[in-house]
Amino acid sequence: APATYQDERGNYRAGEPTNLTPKQRKAYTRLMDKFNAKAEPLRDQMFIKRAELRALENSTNASKAEVDKTAREFLDLRNQMRDLHDKLVQDMEKAGLYR
């Protein structure tokens, strides 16, 4: 089972480090909340774009240009998510929470 701890709001958070001081835990929670606030809309957009792409790929009358455009839009969203994650890792490193 993943490690868990109870944050200052009383919520159990799975898979998060348990060896943090209260100050580090607060910083970790703040960074994760900030990340998730930005990541959730991207995840939603990616889900929709992936569904659109699958529908186009399975359509008998979709043009190659339409499929290519939707695929590029999906890749752009995926790249935004990667950049957001990279920023999270950098922020955690600065806060002494990672590596």
Side-chain angles (χ1 to χ4, degrees):
T4 61
Y5 77 89
Q6 199 170 11
D7 68 14
E8 64 275 357
R9 289 177 241 153
N11 299 317
Y12 284 96
R13 295 184 167 260
E16 297 179 1
T18 57
N19 59 342
L20 301 177
T21 66
K23 183 178 177 181
Q24 288 174 318
R25 193 169 289 148
K26 189 173 185 172
Y28 182 89
T29 300
R30 180 184 53 79
L31 288 171
M32 289 305 298
D33 288 348
K34 182 179 171 183
F35 170 80
N36 285 323
K38 293 179 181 179
E40 186 174 348
L42 274 176
R43 286 185 192 111
D44 292 344
Q45 291 172 21
M46 288 174 67
F47 178 83
I48 292 167
K49 197 55 67 177
R50 186 179 302 115
E52 289 174 6
L53 183 58
R54 286 183 183 145
L56 287 171
E57 290 171 337
N58 292 323
S59 173
T60 57
N61 60 351
S63 70
K64 180 177 178 346
E66 202 174 9
V67 172
D68 288 348
K69 178 182 178 278
T70 305
R72 275 193 306 277
E73 290 170 351
F74 176 76
L75 288 175
D76 288 344
L77 291 167
R78 194 171 72 180
N79 289 337
Q80 288 176 43
M81 182 64 82
R82 184 203 60 229
D83 293 345
L84 187 61
H85 181 265
D86 290 349
K87 173 82 168 92
L88 172 65
V89 170
Q90 290 172 356
D91 291 345
M92 286 187 165
E93 287 173 345
K94 286 179 191 172
L97 301 171
Y98 191 74
R99 295 185 192 170

